[in-house]
């Protein structure tokens, strides 16, 4: 069904945001009258309501080059709007980067089911069908299939090949769309894709990422009763101080009624499902990765505060189930979506000595799609394009994670960190008082949300607190490069019955580290404690995410916490540090310290001080398992 033209002719600006704070869709689009847009000089635009197999119609905008074809189709499906609406209105840019718009592609943008101008009901992380494509059932794979099939039959000038890309939530739709792929779908690039909301975005090993979830759902989670071109306003905290706002938020269960009039249904579902039950399991995309297209290129950022779990694990799932074809992984020194915009030379206080985002767009992303959609010759694509931080250079690997030597960094006496295990048989420990009324902040910045740079922030503010243990090596005599996953294997106890455990791997710069040009002049790099990787686990899930259990007070207990992959060189003259703590606020909601079936129901009087211990003896060695690779 073809739509009529006309949604007005005023100039306006729209930003696709995640929770009103971050570039979730990975784009900043300036919308102008067609007379002011160069896109309209080279492309014609049509809008359609594309029917799905169950009769629901999805709003779809199609941009076709005015020159001679045929052209491949490059598609993005999004819950964040395909604006501008109206066949006489054009965006400033099309496609993943300017290389594509200049080269000639048919660009397709689609509002997913239940969002903006599309029909149907929206379901967050809609569950996949168990048996693949169905004649009657629908999921994001069938919606993608039906859209591609319709485009091939109704859009002129294509060459019969289709590609997909998307960042963040659109990255999830790209990953879901490549499952049981349509034969014409040849190349897909899920970028910062969501995979499982119990380990990414909203939770990390069951610990609830409070400001990220709250701010996102405050806008995105509000209902859309009928098709609309307008989005929801972002939430007004009334203060820039997120630490103060969330400390006085009150019961998490009451947040919906208190702030949003009970309109945010998914917040209620979060509160009703604190454990990894069937509600969350059904939204896990990873078990359904199968029957993939010819080529998949998954992209992520080493310092993506939102979606780091997704790209690494979607790549792994695709690698296990691919049948021939190409399955590649790209990881750069980026925050969320940074590869799609800007130079990518610095993040926060850390600079990388190269324009990494520009390199990716020109020499990785564009050749990938050109090769598989236009038969362009290209240099052989490696299995993994990985940026090595610390040394600051791109590296090519034929497998990921790379081969290496598994070693352990042991927490030792005197807050030292050693590669040799402890020899003392008598139990020994370090301890701190954990006070949920004065939780450890996750950043020094004053911000109402989850800052995009916290994953490279200087951690000196934390290492100097009495409720943070900071273990460090002596000054390194030679470079050490770690690549692949990390595993924190801790022996701990708490005087309460519930606790969270946060582990941070840190690169401590030498005292005479020079200050690079262009960063905050008040931030001195001598002695900088650069966070390289960090993770948290809600201790109730140490043995099972489905069946939580309390701690026995003051009893040494083993907690194993996987940390996401890294590729980082700790250079000679630096030190390696590991910090352990039990609050990380407001990034993670506070743990009451006493076991509750549902922490969302905790009231202020439920929060108690506890004594936390981390053990370090031959019988109870606390350590970080690492993979040391060749340089």
């Amino acid at each position: 069904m073809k739509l009529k033209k006309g949604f007005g002719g005023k100039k306006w600006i729209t930003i696709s945001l995640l929770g009103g704070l971050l570039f979730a869709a990975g784009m900043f689009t300036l919308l102008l009258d067609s007379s002011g847009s160069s896109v309209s000089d080279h492309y014609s635009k049509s809008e359609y309501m594309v029917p799905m197999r169950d009769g629901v119609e999805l709003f779809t905008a199609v941009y076709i080059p005015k020159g001679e074809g045929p052209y491949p189709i490059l598609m993005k499906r999004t819950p964040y709007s395909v604006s501008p609406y109206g066949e006489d209105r054009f965006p400033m840019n099309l496609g993943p980067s300017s290389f594509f718009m200049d080269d000639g592609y048919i660009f397709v943008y689609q509002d997913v089911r239940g969002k903006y101008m599309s029909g149907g009901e929206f379901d967050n992380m809609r569950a996949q069908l168990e048996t693949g494509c169905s004649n009657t059932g629908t999921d994001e794979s069938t919606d993608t299939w039906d859209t591609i099939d319709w485009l091939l039959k109704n859009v002129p000038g294509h060459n019969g090949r289709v590609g997909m890309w998307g960042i963040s939530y659109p990255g999830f739709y790209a990953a879901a769309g490549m499952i049981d792929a349509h034969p014409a779908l040849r190349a897909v690039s899920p970028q910062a894709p969501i995979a499982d909301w119990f380990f990414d975005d909203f939770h990390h090993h069951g610990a609830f990422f409070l400001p990220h979830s709250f701010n996102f759902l405050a806008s995105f989670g509000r209902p859309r009763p009928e098709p609309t071109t307008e989005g929801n306003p972002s939430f007004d905290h009334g203060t820039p101080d997120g630490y103060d706002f969330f400390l006085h938020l009150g019961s998490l269960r009451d947040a919906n009624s208190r702030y949003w009039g009970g309109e945010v249904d998914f917040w209620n579902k979060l509160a009703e499902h604190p454990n990894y039950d069937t509600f969350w399991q059904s939204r896990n995309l990873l078990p359904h990765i199968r029957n993939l297209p010819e080529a998949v290129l998954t992209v992520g950022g080493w310092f993506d505060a939102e979606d780091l779990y997704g790209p690494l694990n979607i790549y792994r799932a695709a690698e296990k189930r691919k049948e021939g074809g190409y399955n590649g992984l790209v990881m750069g020194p980026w925050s969320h979506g940074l590869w799609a915009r800007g130079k990518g030379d610095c993040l926060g206080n850390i600079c990388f000595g190269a324009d990494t985002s520009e390199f990716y767009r020109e020499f990785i992303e564009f050749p990938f799609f050109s090769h598989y959609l236009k038969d362009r010759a290209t240099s052989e694509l490696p299995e993994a394009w990985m940026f090595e931080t610390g040394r600051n250079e791109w590296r090519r690997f034929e497998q990921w994670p790379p081969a290496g030597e598994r070693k352990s960094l042991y927490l030792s006496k005197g807050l030292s960190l050693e590669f040799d295990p402890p020899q003392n048989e008598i139990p020994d420990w370090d301890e701190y008082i954990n006070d949920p009324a004065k939780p450890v902040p996750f950043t020094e910045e004053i911000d109402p949300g989850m800052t995009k740079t916290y994953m490279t922030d200087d951690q000196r503010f934390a290492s100097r607190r009495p409720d943070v243990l900071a273990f460090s090596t002596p000054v390194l005599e030679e470079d050490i490069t770690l690549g692949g996953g990390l595993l924190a294997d801790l022996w701990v106890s708490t005087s309460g019955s519930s606790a969270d455990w946060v582990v941070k791997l840190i690169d401590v710069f030498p005292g005479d580290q020079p200050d690079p040009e262009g960063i905050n002049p008040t931030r001195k790099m001598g002695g900088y404690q650069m966070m390289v990787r960090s993770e948290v686990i809600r201790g109730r899930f140490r043995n099972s995410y489905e069946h939580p259990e309390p701690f026995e007070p003051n009893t040494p207990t083993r907690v194993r916490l996987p940390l996401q992959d890294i590729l980082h060189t700790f250079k000679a003259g630096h030190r390696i540090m590991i910090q352990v703590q039990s609050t990380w606020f407001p990034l993670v909601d506070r743990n009451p310290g006493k076991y509750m079936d549902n922490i969302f129901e905790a009231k202020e009087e439920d929060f108690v001080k506890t004594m936390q211990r981390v053990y370090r003896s031959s019988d109870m060695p606390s350590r970080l398992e690492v993979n040391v690779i060749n340089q």
Side-chain angles (χ1 to χ4, degrees):
M1 173 180 147
K2 191 77 157 54
L3 290 181
K4 294 181 180 180
K5 294 182 179 180
F7 279 88
K10 296 181 179 179
K11 297 181 181 180
W12 58 302
I13 294 175
T14 184
I15 303 175
S16 293
L17 296 177
L18 182 52
L21 297 174
L22 300 176
F23 288 88
M27 67 177 185
F28 179 89
T29 305
L30 178 64
L31 308 178
L32 300 171
D33 292 327
S34 58
S35 61
S37 172
S38 62
V39 174
S40 64
D41 296 334
H42 302 285
Y43 285 82
S44 60
K45 179 183 180 182
S46 297
E47 295 177 338
Y48 304 94
M49 297 300 293
V50 176
M52 301 294 102
R53 63 192 61 189
D54 62 349
V56 170
E57 294 181 324
L58 305 186
F59 183 92
T60 307
V62 179
Y63 298 85
I64 302 177
K66 291 181 178 179
E68 294 185 6
Y71 302 100
I73 296 172
L74 195 50
M75 178 170 67
K76 181 167 83 170
R77 305 184 65 241
T78 177
Y80 298 127
S81 172
V82 301
S83 59
Y85 295 95
E87 291 184 342
D88 60 344
R89 300 185 62 78
F90 292 81
M92 283 289 286
N93 298 290
L94 293 170
S97 74
S98 60
F99 294 106
F100 294 88
M101 189 173 71
D102 296 340
D103 196 46
Y105 284 78
I106 297 172
F107 296 103
V108 175
Y109 295 84
Q110 185 176 76
D111 287 332
V112 298
R113 183 181 292 249
K115 280 295 182 179
Y116 288 87
M117 290 297 291
S118 284
E121 294 184 7
F122 179 74
D123 186 7
N124 272 298
M125 295 286 288
R126 184 157 58 126
Q128 289 293 121
L129 297 171
E130 293 293 337
T131 56
C133 286
S134 163
N135 290 329
T136 56
T138 64
D139 57 20
E140 300 309 334
S141 177
T142 67
D143 281 357
T144 303
W145 176 291
D146 292 347
T147 299
I148 292 173
D149 213 52
W150 188 94
L151 292 170
L152 295 175
K153 295 172 182 176
N154 293 276
V155 172
H158 64 75
N159 69 357
R161 298 184 185 185
V162 180
M164 285 187 72
W165 95 102
I167 299 174
S168 193
Y169 220 146
F172 158 77
Y173 289 105
M178 72 185 187
I179 297 170
D180 299 320
H182 191 286
L185 184 60
R186 300 288 294 275
V188 178
S189 183
Q191 302 178 11
I194 307 166
D196 185 338
W197 265 347
F198 206 74
F199 298 94
D200 211 354
D201 258 324
F202 291 171
H203 301 88
H204 284 220
H205 298 280
F208 184 54
F209 268 43
L210 175 57
H212 181 55
S213 306
F214 183 96
N215 296 339
F216 177 67
L217 291 174
S219 176
F220 185 84
R222 292 182 180 273
R224 185 217 65 165
E226 58 186 24
T228 179
T229 62
E230 302 297 324
N232 295 319
S234 58
F235 181 78
D236 182 4
H237 299 78
T239 175
D241 190 341
Y243 188 100
D244 183 73
F245 175 84
F246 288 105
L247 190 63
H248 299 96
L249 183 66
S251 171
L252 296 184
R253 179 176 286 279
D254 297 335
N256 193 0
S257 58
R258 181 178 177 183
Y259 292 102
W260 310 314
E263 291 186 346
V264 182
D265 179 66
F266 201 77
W267 183 270
N268 292 338
K269 289 183 169 60
L270 281 169
E272 292 164 3
H273 299 276
N275 306 326
Y276 195 52
D277 57 16
T278 56
F279 174 80
W280 296 112
Q281 293 172 24
S282 68
R283 286 164 169 76
N284 179 6
L285 191 66
L286 299 176
H288 304 283
I289 302 292
R290 63 192 175 222
N291 301 329
L292 302 175
E294 178 184 2
V296 177
L297 183 67
T298 305
V299 181
W302 288 130
F303 307 117
D304 186 340
E306 298 175 38
D307 298 302
L308 178 58
Y309 174 92
L312 290 168
N313 286 279
I314 283 177
Y315 161 76
R316 290 190 181 102
E319 188 69 10
K320 290 178 182 178
R321 301 178 183 98
K322 71 176 182 180
E323 298 177 2
Y326 172 72
N327 179 51
L329 175 65
V330 181
M331 297 295 296
W334 303 310
S335 60
H336 195 59
L338 184 62
W339 52 91
R341 60 189 184 273
K343 295 191 298 183
D345 56 335
C346 296
L347 180 63
N349 300 310
I350 303 299
C351 293
F352 307 111
D355 297 338
T356 63
S357 298
E358 292 181 351
F359 177 87
Y360 160 77
R361 293 193 294 268
E362 182 173 359
F363 297 107
I364 301 177
E365 182 182 51
F366 181 64
F368 167 75
F369 281 111
S370 297
H371 179 66
Y372 287 102
L373 299 182
K374 291 193 170 187
D375 285 330
R376 296 255 178 86
T378 185
S379 59
E380 184 177 350
L381 294 168
E383 178 79 10
W385 279 94
M386 316 297 273
F387 190 85
E388 181 181 315
T389 53
R391 192 180 300 277
N392 291 340
E393 63 183 27
W394 284 102
R395 295 186 62 177
R396 299 161 63 104
F397 294 90
E398 294 310 314
Q399 66 177 39
W400 188 264
E405 181 182 1
R406 298 300 291 183
K407 292 186 175 183
S408 291
L409 283 161
Y410 292 92
L411 311 188
S412 299
K413 188 174 182 179
L415 297 177
S416 63
L417 191 61
E418 301 175 1
F419 281 104
D420 296 323
Q423 300 299 316
N424 54 305
E425 296 181 0
I426 299 175
D428 199 1
W429 60 81
D430 294 290
E431 64 186 17
Y432 56 92
I433 295 174
N434 186 61
D435 184 358
K438 297 179 180 179
V440 180
F442 80 99
T443 180
E444 290 180 286
E445 293 186 36
I446 301 299
D447 196 284
M450 178 176 67
T451 61
K452 68 179 181 179
T453 61
Y454 89 85
M455 294 179 76
T456 61
D457 273 356
D458 188 353
Q459 297 300 303
R460 281 179 284 198
F461 76 94
S463 64
R464 294 164 180 170
R465 284 183 58 117
D467 47 0
V468 176
L469 300 177
F471 301 84
S472 65
T473 66
V475 174
L476 300 177
E477 297 181 358
E478 58 183 19
D479 293 357
I480 296 178
T481 302
L482 306 183
L486 309 167
L487 176 66
D489 186 3
L490 304 180
W491 283 90
V492 298
S493 68
T494 176
S495 61
S497 53
S498 182
D500 294 344
W501 301 96
V502 179
V503 176
K504 299 183 290 189
L505 175 64
I506 293 163
D507 186 341
V508 182
F509 294 6
D512 59 355
Q513 181 78 15
D515 299 329
E517 296 181 3
I519 68 165
N520 182 352
T522 64
R523 176 62 64 180
K524 300 301 181 182
M525 302 306 289
Y528 191 96
Q529 296 179 7
M530 174 190 172
M531 192 159 71
V532 176
R533 184 60 70 238
S534 55
E535 194 54 279
V536 57
I537 186 170
R538 184 131 285 168
R540 62 196 271 137
F541 300 120
R542 64 194 179 277
N543 294 321
S544 170
Y545 294 107
E546 299 175 66
H547 306 292
E549 56 189 288
F551 285 93
E552 184 176 340
N554 301 313
T555 301
T557 305
R558 193 177 192 180
V559 175
R560 293 166 65 86
L561 169 60
L563 284 73
Q564 301 303 326
D565 295 14
I566 63 169
L567 179 61
H568 183 82
T569 292
F570 297 83
K571 303 191 78 173
H574 291 224
R575 291 181 291 129
I576 303 173
M577 176 180 284
I578 293 174
Q579 292 182 4
V580 181
Q581 59 199 64
S582 292
T583 50
W584 209 17
F585 193 77
L587 187 68
V588 175
D589 69 316
R590 296 174 300 153
N591 195 312
K594 67 178 183 180
Y595 186 83
M596 306 185 69
D597 289 335
N598 189 342
I599 289 181
F600 276 84
E601 297 180 349
K603 295 179 174 57
E604 197 59 39
E605 57 267 26
D606 295 320
F607 291 85
V608 297
K609 291 182 182 180
T610 54
M611 176 64 76
Q612 316 289 78
R613 288 179 174 176
V614 178
Y615 294 82
R616 39 173 179 73
S617 64
S618 57
D619 291 338
M620 292 182 288
S622 293
R623 64 194 179 98
L624 180 70
E625 185 177 312
V626 301
N627 188 45
V628 180
I629 68 171
N630 293 329
Q631 299 167 16

